[in-house]
């Protein structure tokens, strides 16, 4: 998707890491940028780094009124990004239904499994994204099918989707 065709905002930020927390890599979002999208709650966004790496993310509140975006290991590896690098960023509102790309295999399973579909859509958006992320993380279509079936079967046993 072309961020210029949507209401995107561009800025630069340095890749940093939380030392006190969980050592997550992140970029700070300037206040004037974050305020265009949200005031206090996390908001699902699309992010484009260095005009080449597009991914789903969230504007996450720090607790002091400022916001950041987590930059996970797969994205850092794909872009060969290192701590301290200055990145060119474009962000725009994520208009996708789930806040992540839905794998075809999971879409097809939900289309034929009425109970699984009902249980999946009864989950919180965060739990839905967790399942989508897990299924989509498999490299081969067969493993994505197997993961989709396994996750929907788990929902049938434990409809809340919480770990036991």
């Amino acid at each position: 998707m072309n961020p210029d065709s949507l209401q995107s905002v561009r800025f630069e930020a340095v890749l940093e890491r939380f030392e006190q927390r969980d050592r997550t890599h992140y970029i700070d979002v300037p206040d004037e940028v974050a305020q265009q999208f949200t005031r206090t709650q996390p908001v699902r966004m699309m992010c484009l780094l260095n005009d080449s790496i597009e991914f789903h993310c969230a504007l996450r509140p720090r607790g002091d009124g400022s916001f950041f975006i987590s930059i996970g290991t797969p994205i850092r590896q794909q872009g060969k990004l290192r701590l301290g690098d200055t990145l060119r960023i474009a962000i725009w509102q994520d208009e996708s239904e789930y806040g992540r790309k839905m794998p075809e295999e999971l879409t097809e399973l939900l289309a034929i499994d009425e109970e699984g579909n009902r249980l999946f859509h009864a989950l919180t958006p965060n739990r839905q994204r967790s399942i989508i992320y897990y299924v989509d993380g498999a490299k081969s279509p067969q493993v994505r099918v197997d993961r989709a079936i396994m996750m929907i079967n788990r929902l049938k046993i434990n409809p809340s989707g919480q770990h036991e």
Side-chain angles (χ1 to χ4, degrees), residues 96-164:
S96 68
E97 183 175 359
Y98 300 104
R100 292 199 73 80
K101 177 181 75 73
M102 174 65 104
E104 183 179 329
E105 297 81 0
L106 184 55
T107 300
E108 289 180 15
L109 177 61
L110 295 176
I112 62 172
D113 185 335
E114 190 175 315
E115 181 186 8
N117 187 35
R118 181 182 56 76
L119 292 168
F120 178 81
H121 286 97
L123 295 172
T124 65
N126 191 43
R127 293 215 185 279
Q128 290 173 348
R129 278 192 300 278
S130 294
I131 290 172
I132 292 168
Y133 179 80
Y134 177 69
V135 172
D136 197 43
K139 295 194 185 330
S140 80
Q142 185 58 54
V143 175
R144 286 192 296 274
V145 167
D146 295 343
R147 285 183 176 188
I149 291 168
M150 178 186 68
M151 294 307 289
I152 296 307
N153 284 340
R154 282 186 180 175
L155 281 179
K156 291 175 182 178
I157 295 166
N158 181 7
S160 71
Q162 294 183 347
H163 299 294
E164 297 175 357

Side-chain angles (χ1 to χ4, degrees), residues 8 14 34 49 75-76 145:
S8 69
V14 174
L49 296 180
I75 293 164
R76 290 195 323 273
V145 167

Side-chain angles (χ1 to χ4, degrees), residues 36-143:
Q36 294 180 47
F37 299 102
T38 187
R39 293 281 187 251
T40 58
Q41 297 296 315
V43 175
R44 298 302 302 173
M45 304 294 296
M46 292 297 300
C47 184
L48 180 67
L49 296 180
N50 293 338
D51 298 315
S52 64
I53 303 168
E54 184 176 308
F55 62 100
H56 296 266
C57 66
L59 283 180
R60 299 189 180 278
R62 275 186 181 261
D64 62 0
S66 65
F67 288 81
F68 69 95
I69 295 172
S70 296
I71 308 295
T73 301
I75 293 164
R76 290 195 323 273
Q77 289 173 342
Q78 181 182 351
K80 298 182 172 99
L81 307 176
R82 295 186 324 262
L83 195 60
D85 285 353
T86 298
L87 309 175
R88 294 181 317 282
I89 299 137
I91 60 171
W92 61 99
Q93 194 82 37
D94 184 347
E95 300 293 335
S96 68
E97 183 175 359
Y98 300 104
R100 292 199 73 80
K101 177 181 75 73
M102 174 65 104
E104 183 179 329
E105 297 81 0
L106 184 55
T107 300
E108 289 180 15
L109 177 61
L110 295 176
I112 62 172
D113 185 335
E114 190 175 315
E115 181 186 8
N117 187 35
R118 181 182 56 76
L119 292 168
F120 178 81
H121 286 97
L123 295 172
T124 65
N126 191 43
R127 293 215 185 279
Q128 290 173 348
R129 278 192 300 278
S130 294
I131 290 172
I132 292 168
Y133 179 80
Y134 177 69
V135 172
D136 197 43
K139 295 194 185 330
S140 80
Q142 185 58 54
V143 175

